[in-house]
Amino acid sequence: MDFGELVRREGGDGRLVVQPRMGFGDPVRMRAGLLATKEARATTVGTLTLDSYTRVGDLDAVESALRQGIRLNGYPIVSHPASTTEAVLEGLRDHTFPVQVRHGSATPAGIFRAMMRLRLNATEGGPVSYCLPYGRTPLAEAVQNWADCCRLYSRLRELGIEPHLETFGGCMMGQLCPPSQLVAISFLEAMFFAQHGIRSLSLSYAQQTHMGQDQEAVAALRRLCADLLPTRNWHIVVYTYMGVYPETSRGAYRLLGRAAELAVTTGAERLIVKTAAEARRIPTVHENVLALEFAGRAAELTARRHPQVPYGTDGPADSQTYREARALVEAVLGLDPDIGRALLTAFRRGYLDVPYCVHPDNAGLTRSRIDTDGRLRWVDIGNLPLSGIAELGGSRRISSADLMNDLHHIRRRFDEPPRDSGESFDAELVWGEWIDRGP
């Protein structure tokens, strides 16, 4: 089955497919997690998240951990025999419940080969987003690796299986990357995938600090896809906030509810949820299910209060976020007809430059901060092609105290009691019955 087609059929227009980031190393626990996800009271798809050793290709460490019974922080799909993973998936994966592999690797060839042996036809990542935030792999090496893997993965069609890839570019660094660059990188990675043979795509965007700005960003991403993406088989996936998370259960659920509201009001089809345990540890199966069911319920209530989705391709066409994102995309695509080479040139010239990212191939000249109105704005655009376009906010000097304050902005805001009840879902759902259902 085509992962993308199922999500587009079940999500959008006020409906939402919800998905956990669930990762367990033990096959029994992994199967239990997938089963619980499938049986949750929401429209769900499954997740098989890989461990950090597999992500960086340290398979000797995986083997050592398996021999010694050391718990891994994800599923070692390359090291387990195919028969073990087939047993995990047996009777769960079907035409109503696909399973996506999430991994975080800049060198993913072994992971792709393992997925293909198992006919797992949905995964995510990208040559930029799975390289710059995660290590020191040269960007040129990551681009070549991902080009090779896209071409390899597209061969699943020879078996009658449609491969699906999701960009991770909308989640760069988790926080403090202005939405326009998140949109641009997510879109450019989708174009890269398409150029290398992938026809079923999803494009990510991670919830940031201001609902209105996030709505502009998702609308901008949808418009770019409608205008420029060379396939109609695409959808948008919103990630619940990827930065420093609220410590209280009330705060965590409030933030998740806002993410569901963002997804529904922008016409996004899928939401990656986070749990109330996010700030402390890897969540349990039960905590994942609570988050899935809460997000599904919050989406239903939001859709009821917003019977007509106000955004999408007909959203704020000339928003500041769209103007910046379009300028970045056009500048990069104009560098070279080969999108991989264009991405390398863009980072070398600073046309793409992620704030606070210390990877050697990132120029590191840009800075951003959360403005007084809660929007995430550029403070210094470095060599980004946004002169005369970007709206700069605040002082050009950012101290370490300023940075730490911005990093903890969302935690403080959502752990504090709400100042109003402006959320589109019932407040009682957050700190009443749902908290009482905890483990």
Side-chain angles (χ1 to χ4, degrees):
M1 65 165 294
D2 180 351
F3 180 91
E5 281 191 2
L6 179 138
V7 172
R8 288 191 295 113
R9 183 173 68 245
E10 299 295 332
D13 296 325
R15 298 167 299 142
L16 195 58
V17 176
V18 292
Q19 180 178 0
R21 299 192 305 150
M22 193 176 294
F24 302 111
D26 177 65
V28 175
R29 294 186 74 210
M30 189 69 249
R31 181 172 172 81
L34 288 171
L35 176 61
T37 300
K38 186 173 184 177
E39 294 181 343
R41 292 177 295 178
T43 303
T44 62
V45 291
T47 304
L48 200 156
T49 300
L50 306 193
D51 66 284
S52 54
Y53 291 133
T54 300
R55 174 173 65 82
V56 297
D58 190 355
L59 300 185
D60 289 340
V62 175
E63 296 293 343
S64 176
L66 292 175
R67 283 196 307 271
Q68 298 178 51
I70 297 173
R71 180 176 292 185
L72 296 169
N73 65 348
Y75 188 84
I77 195 171
V78 178
S79 300
H80 277 319
S83 58
T84 298
T85 307
E86 287 168 351
V88 169
L89 300 172
E90 178 65 31
L92 298 178
R93 178 179 53 165
D94 58 27
H95 69 283
T96 66
F97 185 72
V99 175
Q100 184 190 41
V101 175
R102 312 184 74 84
H103 55 91
S105 179
T107 55
I111 294 169
F112 272 86
R113 285 193 290 267
M115 289 191 297
M116 293 181 71
R117 284 193 294 270
L118 292 157
R119 307 295 191 263
L120 283 163
N121 65 324
T123 188
E124 45 97 47
V128 175
S129 58
Y130 266 13
C131 177
L132 263 63
Y134 289 128
R136 300 181 66 85
T137 300
L139 184 59
E141 184 179 333
V143 166
Q144 186 60 58
N145 289 339
W146 274 90
D148 293 343
C149 287
C150 286
R151 289 190 290 267
L152 176 67
Y153 209 37
S154 66
R155 292 177 59 186
L156 278 175
R157 283 197 295 272
E158 299 171 9
L159 304 175
I161 301 170
E162 188 67 43
H164 178 90
L165 270 176
E166 171 194 319
T167 72
F168 196 65
C171 307
M172 295 295 300
M173 299 295 290
Q175 54 189 335
L176 298 189
C177 182
S180 59
Q181 188 164 228
L182 296 179
V183 168
I185 295 176
S186 191
F187 178 77
L188 289 165
E189 287 192 327
M191 292 289 284
F192 175 90
F193 292 160
Q195 190 169 70
H196 292 289
I198 303 300
R199 300 186 304 208
S200 178
L201 300 166
S202 51
L203 295 90
S204 67
Y205 178 76
Q207 175 188 26
Q208 296 297 309
T209 59
H210 187 279
M211 175 66 84
Q213 190 179 36
D214 286 341
Q215 289 171 328
E216 290 178 4
V218 179
L221 187 54
R222 295 185 70 90
R223 184 177 174 190
L224 286 168
C225 291
D227 289 351
L228 301 175
L229 203 59
T231 178
R232 290 290 174 251
N233 187 354
W234 59 268
H235 70 268
I236 302 299
V237 52
V238 169
Y239 279 65
T240 306
Y241 187 66
M242 297 283 284
V244 178
Y245 215 67
E247 294 180 294
T248 65
S249 293
R250 180 177 65 186
Y253 279 124
R254 285 181 59 215
L255 183 54
L256 175 56
R258 293 290 275 180
E261 180 183 359
L262 169 64
V264 169
T265 57
T266 54
E269 291 87 350
R270 183 160 53 101
L271 174 69
I272 307 297
V273 309
K274 296 181 81 170
T275 75
E278 197 69 37
R280 301 183 297 277
R281 53 175 167 74
I282 295 175
T284 64
V285 171
H286 179 70
E287 287 162 338
N288 273 286
V289 171
L290 286 179
L292 291 168
E293 293 184 344
F294 173 82
R297 178 64 173 148
E300 290 175 4
L301 292 170
T302 298
R304 192 177 302 165
R305 296 190 182 186
H306 296 273
Q308 294 193 350
V309 177
Y311 292 95
T313 55
D314 295 324
D318 295 319
S319 71
Q320 178 65 27
T321 304
Y322 174 76
R323 289 193 294 272
E324 291 182 14
R326 185 86 186 209
L328 292 170
V329 165
E330 290 181 347
V332 175
L333 292 180
L335 293 172
D336 198 294
D338 181 286
I339 296 173
R341 290 198 298 265
L343 287 169
L344 294 175
T345 303
F347 275 96
R348 188 165 58 249
R349 295 185 181 180
Y351 286 13
L352 295 174
D353 185 354
V354 181
Y356 312 111
C357 174
V358 297
H359 190 281
D361 289 320
N362 189 66
L365 300 178
T366 61
R367 290 292 181 267
S368 62
R369 71 165 306 162
I370 301 170
D371 214 341
T372 54
D373 61 0
R375 286 179 175 248
L376 184 53
R377 301 187 191 275
W378 296 107
V379 173
D380 194 329
I381 60 172
N383 293 324
L384 298 179
L386 297 178
S387 179
I389 301 173
E391 290 183 351
L392 303 182
S395 168
R396 293 173 64 89
R397 294 192 63 184
I398 297 176
S399 68
S400 58
D402 293 330
L403 177 60
M404 292 301 293
N405 186 61
D406 282 355
L407 289 173
H408 289 79
H409 171 84
I410 287 293
R411 171 177 285 181
R412 288 195 311 274
R413 175 183 165 194
F414 282 86
D415 276 343
E416 293 174 356
R419 298 177 184 177
D420 59 63
S421 56
E423 289 93 344
S424 291
F425 51 89
D426 291 336
E428 287 302 314
L429 197 63
V430 180
W431 51 80
E433 63 178 74
W434 226 264
I435 302 303
D436 293 339
R437 294 180 59 203

